């Protein structure tokens, strides 16, 4: 569902995946199937619920083994942009991701790549 053209199907797909990945066996299956990249792609959706579910899913999928794949520099940069959003749900969730799932070095490196502003960033529709 995460590769569908229909944005509603993607939203429901990532929402379902978010709920399912709390189960340890399902989490292992999701990680083994290479689905992290599909979840990361959902961060660019214009639908707020899709983006929020994608961030939450990445948090739930984070393990010692998967953390490097989940906290790549592009993802950390994306979370920095989201943390500047006027959308409180998005900015708060992105801030939690940065504080709880990324190292200080990762965040600092992402900050030095560009000066981040919310201007020109396609943020989800409210």
């Amino acid at each position: 569902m995460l590769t569908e053209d229909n944005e509603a199907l993607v939203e429901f797909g990532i929402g379902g995946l978010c709920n399912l990945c709390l189960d340890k066996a399902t989490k292992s299956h999701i990680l083994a199937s290479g689905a992290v990249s599909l979840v990361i792609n959902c961060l660019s959706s214009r639908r707020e619920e899709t983006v929020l579910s994608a961030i939450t899913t990445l948090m739930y999928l984070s393990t010692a083994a998967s953390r490097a794949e989940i906290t790549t520099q592009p993802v950390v940069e994306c979370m920095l942009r989201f943390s500047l959003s006027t959308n409180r749900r998005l900015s708060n969730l992105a801030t939690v991701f940065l504080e709880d799932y990324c190292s200080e070095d990762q965040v600092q490196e992402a900050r030095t790549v560009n000066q981040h502003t919310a201007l020109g960033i396609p943020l989800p529709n409210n």
Side-chain angles (χ1 to χ4, degrees), residues 15-88:
L17 192 64
C18 184
N19 291 329
L20 290 171
C21 67
L22 290 172
D23 176 73
K24 288 181 183 185
T26 304
K27 177 193 283 194
S28 295
H29 180 71
I30 293 167
L31 291 171
S33 71
V36 170
S37 63
L38 296 174
V39 175
I40 290 171
N41 288 341
C42 290
L43 295 174
S44 64
S45 174
R46 291 201 164 271
R47 293 188 136 196
E48 177 181 2
E49 293 304 321
T50 300
V51 174
L52 294 172
S53 290
I55 296 170
T56 305
T57 301
L58 291 173
M59 290 180 187
Y60 289 162
L61 291 176
S62 184
T63 65
S66 66
R67 190 162 299 211
E69 181 181 13
I70 289 172
T71 61
T72 60
Q73 186 171 352
V75 172
V76 177
E77 289 176 22
C78 181
M79 294 303 161
L80 281 171
R81 288 190 299 271
F82 288 158
S83 73
L84 299 173
S85 172
T86 58
N87 179 321
R88 297 308 302 159

